[in-house]
Structures are given as C-alpha cells and as structure tokens.
C-alpha cells in the first residue's frame, strides 16, 4: 500500500476526530487513526525505517484519548 495514502487517511481521521459532534464519534475516529498508525509503524519497521517507533507509539489509543479528555 502507498504510504502517502496511509498518511493522508491518518490525517483525515484526526481532522474528523477534532470536528466530531460527540465524544463517542471522536473516540471512534481516534481509535481508527490509532489502528492506522499501527499499520504504518509495522510497515515502516519491515522496511527498517527509524520512524516506525514514532508511528507505533501513536498506535496506542491512550495518547489520543488523553488529549481528547483534556478538552
């Protein structure tokens, strides 16, 4: 799969989370973004990319939900 497409999809999910009309929808978008970040991280790791660690860190939903809870 094309990394540029994955990066764009991840960004789109984050924007959708930011604009979500409810906490439930926000959490759904954040979870989907986290899963996609994990996929990006795994793909990068397979290629030996050092950025894999950052993306794998974003895959944890705690980081997304913690930022959402602080709003």
């Amino acid at each position: 799969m094309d990394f540029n497409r994955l990066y764009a999809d991840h960004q789109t999910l984050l924007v959708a989370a930011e604009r979500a009309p409810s906490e439930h929808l926000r959490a759904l978008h954040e979870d989907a973004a986290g899963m996609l970040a994990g996929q990006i991280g795994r793909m990068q790791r397979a290629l030996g990319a050092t950025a894999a660690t950052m993306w794998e860190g974003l895959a944890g939903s705690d980081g997304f939900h913690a930022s959402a809870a602080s709003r």
Side-chain angles (χ1 to χ4, degrees):
M1 179 167 272
D2 177 29
F3 275 110
N4 287 325
R5 182 65 201 185
L6 291 173
Y7 298 147
D9 289 347
H10 182 263
Q11 187 65 34
T12 299
L13 286 166
L14 294 179
V15 170
E18 182 68 28
R19 296 179 178 172
S22 70
E23 289 299 318
H24 175 72
L25 286 175
R26 183 185 314 266
L28 289 176
H29 291 304
E30 289 172 344
D31 288 345
M35 290 188 329
L36 192 52
Q39 180 182 356
I40 292 168
R42 287 187 300 277
M43 290 173 64
Q44 287 183 340
R45 183 163 303 285
L47 296 171
T50 59
T53 304
M54 187 270 309
W55 283 100
E56 290 167 343
L58 290 175
S61 61
D62 290 342
F64 289 116
H65 290 147
S67 65
S70 68
R71 292 187 184 117

